[in-house]
Amino acid sequence: MIDLRSDTVTTPDEAMRDAARDADVGDDVYGEDPTVNELEARAADLVGMEDALYVPTGTMGNQVAVRTHTERGQEVLTERESHVVKWELGGMAQLSTLQVRTLDGGERGVPTPEQVREEYVEEDLHRPGTGLLTLENTHNSKGGVAVAPERIDAAAEAARDLGVPVHLDGARVCNAAVAHEVPVERVTENVDSVMFCLSKGLGAPVGSMLAGSEAFVERARRNRKLFGGGMRQAGIVAAPGLLALENVERLSEDHDNARLLAERLAGVEGLSVQDPETNIVLVNTEATGLTADEFLDACEDAGVLGTQFDTHVARFCTHWDVDRDDIADAAERIGDAVEA
Ligand SMILES: *Cc1c(COP(=O)(O)O)cnc(C)c1O
C-alpha cells in the first residue's frame, strides 16, 4: 500500500529510535529535561523567536496560543478554511470562550490588510473587541499553498497596527520557507507566535513547537499545563524532534515528488489537478463522474491511499516514507483505477 493520506504517517528511522533510547531526561514540568530544553532553544532559533514550548500536538499548540493571546469573550479573526476553525473541534469556543469572525482569504487563504481592518471590532459597551488574528502557512485546505512572506507581513502589520496580536499556524511553515527559498525565520518575522509540527514532513514521531516572546512562552507554559499537556520525561519523544529539525531542506524532495505526482495525474482522463507548491496535491474528480469518496475507494483497491477533502476533491500528501519510484507507481495505479 502506498500511503499518501498525510505526511503524519511517517515512522521514525533508526537514528530517531536510537536518539529516543539514549536521550538525557528529567522532569519537564520542573523544567529539568535537558533534551526538551535543547529542543525548545533550537526551535526558537529556527523561527527567530525568543523562546519556544514543546507541545504534544499541533492542535494543542494552536489552542494554547489562542488562549494565551486572548481574554474570554473576545473575537478571533481567522480565515474561513483555516485549520484552527475547521479541524479543531471548535476549540476556540470550547476551550477559550471566544467568538470567531471568519474572513475569506481567497485562493491563497490569506486575508488582505483591508479585510483585517474592515473586520476588526473595537471593544465598547456592546462589542467584544478583536483579540487575535490567526494566519496559516502553508495553507492546508487550499492545497498546501506556500503563502509569500510579504503577504503574511501585510496582514500581520495591519493587525498589529490595531493592537491585535498575530498567531501563525505554521504546521508546515518549513515547507513554505523551502518553497520560497528563504530561511524559516523570514516567514515568521512579523507574527507574534508560531506553531509548527515536528511530526509531519520533518519526520518526528510526536510533537509540535509553539514559539514567541519569552513573556508569551511563560504564559503559554501555564496554559499547556491547564490543557493537560505538561509532560514529564518528555526527552524520550523530544530527542527525535531534535533530529527532525535537521530535515528542513529535505522537504524539497517531497515538493519534487508532489510535482511529479501532479504531472502524472494531470494526464489521467477526467482528473483535474491543482499545481502543487509544496507536498500536497489536490485532485478534482468531478469530470470522471466519481465523487472523491468513490475515487478514493478505487485508489485503495489499486493500492494507494489518500483523503477526502470535499465532495469532488481528494488530497494526496507526499512525505519521507515515499520516494520517486513509489510516486510513479502510485500515479500509474491511480490512472488504472480511474480508467478501469
Ligand atoms: C496538522 C495540522 C495541525 C494540527 O496538528 P496535529 O498535530 O495533527 O494536532 C494544525 N494546523 C495545520 C495547518 C495542520 O496541517
Side-chain angles (χ1 to χ4, degrees), residues 12-42:
D13 63 3
E14 283 308 309
M16 285 188 178
R17 288 171 192 270
D18 287 346
R21 190 193 56 230
D22 298 338
D24 279 337
V25 297
D27 191 326
D28 182 51
V29 171
Y30 295 124
E32 291 172 2
D33 190 297
T35 307
V36 172
N37 291 343
E38 187 187 343
L39 177 64
E40 291 180 342
R42 288 199 19 218

Coordinates of all heavy atoms in Angstrom, one line a residue, residues 12-42:
P12 N 9.5 6.7 12.6 CA 10.8 7.1 12.9 C 11.9 6.2 12.3 O 11.7 5.0 12.4 CB 10.9 7.2 14.4 CG 9.7 6.4 14.9 CD 8.7 6.4 13.8
D13 N 13.0 6.7 11.8 CA 14.1 5.9 11.3 C 14.9 5.4 12.5 O 14.7 5.7 13.7 CB 14.9 6.7 10.3 CG 15.6 7.9 10.8 OD1 15.5 8.1 12.0 OD2 16.2 8.6 10.0
E14 N 16.0 4.7 12.1 CA 16.8 4.1 13.2 C 17.5 5.2 14.0 O 17.6 5.0 15.3 CB 17.9 3.2 12.5 CG 17.4 1.8 12.1 CD 16.7 1.1 13.2 OE1 17.2 1.0 14.3 OE2 15.5 0.6 12.9
A15 N 17.9 6.2 13.4 CA 18.6 7.3 14.1 C 17.7 7.9 15.2 O 18.1 8.2 16.3 CB 19.1 8.4 13.1
M16 N 16.4 8.1 14.8 CA 15.5 8.7 15.7 C 15.2 7.7 16.9 O 15.1 8.1 18.0 CB 14.2 9.0 15.0 CG 14.3 10.3 14.2 SD 12.7 10.8 13.5 CE 13.2 12.4 12.7
R17 N 15.1 6.4 16.5 CA 14.9 5.4 17.6 C 16.1 5.4 18.6 O 15.9 5.3 19.8 CB 14.6 4.1 17.0 CG 13.3 4.0 16.3 CD 13.1 2.7 15.5 NE 11.9 2.7 14.6 CZ 10.7 2.3 15.0 NH1 10.5 1.8 16.2 NH2 9.7 2.5 14.1
D18 N 17.3 5.4 18.0 CA 18.5 5.5 18.9 C 18.5 6.7 19.7 O 18.8 6.6 20.9 CB 19.7 5.5 18.0 CG 20.0 4.1 17.3 OD1 19.4 3.1 17.7 OD2 20.8 4.1 16.4
A19 N 18.1 7.8 19.1 CA 18.1 9.1 19.9 C 17.1 9.0 21.0 O 17.4 9.5 22.2 CB 17.8 10.3 19.0
A20 N 16.0 8.4 20.8 CA 15.0 8.3 21.8 C 15.5 7.4 23.0 O 15.4 7.8 24.2 CB 13.7 7.7 21.3
R21 N 16.1 6.3 22.6 CA 16.6 5.4 23.7 C 17.7 6.1 24.5 O 17.7 5.9 25.7 CB 17.2 4.1 23.0 CG 17.5 3.0 24.0 CD 18.3 1.9 23.4 NE 19.5 2.5 22.8 CZ 19.9 2.2 21.6 NH1 19.3 1.4 20.8 NH2 21.0 2.8 21.1
D22 N 18.6 6.8 23.8 CA 19.7 7.4 24.5 C 19.5 8.8 25.1 O 20.4 9.4 25.7 CB 20.9 7.5 23.5 CG 21.3 6.1 23.0 OD1 21.0 5.1 23.7 OD2 21.9 6.0 21.9
A23 N 18.3 9.3 25.0 CA 18.1 10.7 25.4 C 18.3 10.9 26.9 O 18.0 10.1 27.8 CB 16.6 11.1 25.1
D24 N 19.0 12.1 27.2 CA 19.1 12.5 28.6 C 17.7 13.1 29.0 O 17.1 13.9 28.3 CB 20.0 13.7 28.7 CG 21.5 13.2 28.8 OD1 21.7 12.0 29.2 OD2 22.4 14.0 28.4
V25 N 17.2 12.6 30.1 CA 15.8 13.1 30.5 C 15.7 13.6 31.9 O 16.6 13.3 32.8 CB 14.8 12.0 30.3 CG1 14.6 11.6 28.9 CG2 15.1 10.8 31.2
G26 N 14.7 14.3 32.2 CA 14.4 14.8 33.6 C 12.9 15.2 33.6 O 12.2 14.9 32.6
D27 N 12.4 15.8 34.7 CA 11.0 16.1 34.7 C 10.8 17.5 34.1 O 11.1 18.5 34.6 CB 10.5 16.1 36.2 CG 9.0 16.2 36.3 OD1 8.4 16.8 35.4 OD2 8.5 15.6 37.2
D28 N 10.2 17.4 32.9 CA 10.0 18.7 32.1 C 9.0 19.7 32.8 O 9.1 20.9 32.5 CB 9.6 18.4 30.7 CG 9.4 19.6 29.8 OD1 10.4 20.4 29.8 OD2 8.4 19.8 29.2
V29 N 8.1 19.2 33.6 CA 7.2 20.1 34.3 C 8.0 21.0 35.2 O 7.7 22.2 35.5 CB 6.0 19.4 35.0 CG1 5.2 20.3 35.8 CG2 5.1 18.8 33.9
Y30 N 9.1 20.4 35.8 CA 10.0 21.2 36.6 C 11.1 21.9 35.7 O 12.0 22.5 36.3 CB 10.8 20.3 37.6 CG 9.8 19.7 38.7 CD1 9.8 18.3 38.8 CD2 9.0 20.5 39.5 CE1 9.0 17.8 39.8 CE2 8.2 20.0 40.4 CZ 8.2 18.6 40.6 OH 7.3 18.1 41.5
G31 N 11.0 21.8 34.4 CA 11.9 22.4 33.5 C 13.3 21.7 33.5 O 14.3 22.3 33.1
E32 N 13.3 20.5 33.9 CA 14.6 19.8 34.1 C 14.9 18.7 33.1 O 15.7 17.8 33.3 CB 14.5 19.1 35.5 CG 14.6 20.1 36.7 CD 14.4 19.5 38.0 OE1 14.2 18.3 38.1 OE2 14.3 20.3 39.0
D33 N 14.2 18.7 32.0 CA 14.6 17.8 30.9 C 15.5 18.4 29.9 O 15.1 19.3 29.2 CB 13.3 17.3 30.2 CG 13.6 16.1 29.3 OD1 14.4 16.3 28.4 OD2 13.1 15.0 29.5
P34 N 16.8 18.0 29.9 CA 17.8 18.7 29.1 C 17.5 18.6 27.6 O 17.8 19.5 26.8 CB 19.1 18.0 29.5 CG 18.8 16.8 30.2 CD 17.4 16.9 30.7
T35 N 16.9 17.5 27.2 CA 16.6 17.3 25.8 C 15.5 18.2 25.3 O 15.6 18.8 24.3 CB 16.3 15.8 25.5 OG1 17.3 14.9 26.1 CG2 16.1 15.5 24.1
V36 N 14.5 18.3 26.2 CA 13.4 19.2 25.8 C 13.9 20.6 25.8 O 13.6 21.4 24.9 CB 12.2 19.1 26.8 CG1 11.2 20.2 26.6 CG2 11.6 17.7 26.7
N37 N 14.7 21.0 26.8 CA 15.2 22.4 26.9 C 16.1 22.7 25.6 O 16.0 23.8 25.1 CB 16.1 22.6 28.1 CG 15.2 22.5 29.4 OD1 14.0 22.7 29.3 ND2 15.9 22.3 30.5
E38 N 16.8 21.7 25.2 CA 17.6 22.0 23.9 C 16.7 22.1 22.7 O 16.9 23.0 21.9 CB 18.6 20.8 23.7 CG 19.6 21.1 22.6 CD 20.5 19.9 22.2 OE1 20.6 19.0 23.1 OE2 21.1 19.9 21.1
L39 N 15.7 21.2 22.7 CA 14.8 21.3 21.5 C 14.1 22.7 21.5 O 13.9 23.3 20.4 CB 13.8 20.2 21.6 CG 12.7 20.1 20.6 CD1 13.3 19.9 19.2 CD2 11.6 19.1 20.9
E40 N 13.7 23.1 22.7 CA 12.9 24.4 22.7 C 13.9 25.6 22.3 O 13.4 26.5 21.5 CB 12.4 24.6 24.1 CG 11.2 23.6 24.4 CD 10.6 23.8 25.8 OE1 11.2 24.4 26.7 OE2 9.5 23.2 26.0
A41 N 15.1 25.5 22.7 CA 16.1 26.6 22.3 C 16.3 26.5 20.8 O 16.3 27.6 20.1 CB 17.4 26.4 23.1
R42 N 16.5 25.3 20.3 CA 16.8 25.3 18.8 C 15.6 25.6 18.0 O 15.8 26.2 16.9 CB 17.4 23.9 18.5 CG 18.8 23.8 19.1 CD 19.8 22.8 18.6 NE 19.4 22.2 17.3 CZ 19.6 21.0 17.0 NH1 20.1 20.1 17.8 NH2 19.3 20.5 15.8

